[in-house]
Every structure is written in structure tokens, then in C-alpha cells.
Amino acid sequence: MTQLPNDDADLINFLCQHSPEVPPASPDLEQQILQQVKTWPQAPLRHYSRLRLVLPALAAGLVAAIVGYRALIPAQSSPAELARLETFIESNWQATASSEHLESDVWHFTDLDTE
């Protein structure tokens, strides 16, 4: 039994010689199986119904996390958009800092402590 046969025919002969006898089938085996299926505990079905609720909730949470993460990352601007933004900021800064609008745009506060 420590040495295995080298040939397939030897293996088949070995298995045929040492195979156990098949026990006779019980006449009411089918009825026993059906009874066991009918009396199967209902706990796995309850577990399955809970699982049906948990899995979609997990999937929805995962989708919400991915969408939320994507919403928090700012989109990359194109070079043309960046150039327009830079031009806009420069023109507004020059209009704000020019001396001709100084009187109308700047608030003058009086010092109340000089009384």
C-alpha cells in the first residue's frame, strides 16, 4: 500500500479489488430527504432577508462615497480657461488700483478718537 502502481490498468485493477461494497439503498430514503427539506429551519431564510437589505445599503454607501469623493476634487481647468481667468483678474485689479476711481471706490473713515 506504500507503493502506487505505475500503470493506469494496474490502478484500475487495484481500485476494483479494494473498493468497498455499496450499501443497499433504504426504501424510504426519498421520503426521509423530503421530510428533512420540509422541516429545514427557517433561520437561513431570515438571514437571507436581512442580507437582502444590507447588501443594497452597502452598495449605496459605496456609490455615495465615490460620488462624494469625485465632487470634492476640483476639475482641472484648460489652459485657455486659465488664460481668460488671468486676464480677467489683471483687468479688474488694474481698474481697482487706478487713481481715477480712487475717490468713488474707496471709503474714507473718520477717526473717532480725535475729538
Side-chain angles (χ1 to χ4, degrees):
M1 188 95 180
T2 59
Q3 293 182 345
L4 294 176
N6 294 333
D7 197 323
D8 288 341
D10 291 339
L11 177 64
I12 293 171
N13 288 335
F14 175 80
L15 291 176
C16 288
Q17 290 174 2
H18 295 18
S19 65
E21 290 185 22
V22 178
S26 172
D28 62 341
L29 180 62
E30 183 179 358
Q31 290 302 322
Q32 289 176 0
I33 293 172
L34 290 176
Q35 283 295 345
Q36 288 178 355
V37 169
K38 287 179 185 177
T39 60
W40 200 307
Q42 297 299 321
L45 293 177
R46 290 183 193 147
H47 179 69
Y48 177 71
S49 66
R50 288 182 187 163
L51 189 64
R52 282 191 341 201
L53 296 175
V54 170
L55 288 179
L58 287 174
L62 180 63
V63 168
I66 291 171
V67 169
Y69 178 74
R70 292 282 183 178
L72 292 176
I73 297 175
Q76 297 294 329
S77 300
S78 68
E81 290 175 342
L82 291 175
R84 279 189 289 156
L85 179 61
E86 184 178 352
T87 305
F88 173 76
I89 291 173
E90 285 178 1
S91 67
N92 279 344
W93 174 255
Q94 289 173 356
T96 304
S98 67
S99 60
E100 59 192 45
H101 299 294
L102 192 59
E103 293 297 323
S104 63
D105 291 342
V106 178
W107 293 8
H108 297 282
F109 295 102
T110 58
D111 191 8
L112 298 175
D113 293 336
T114 59
E115 292 178 7

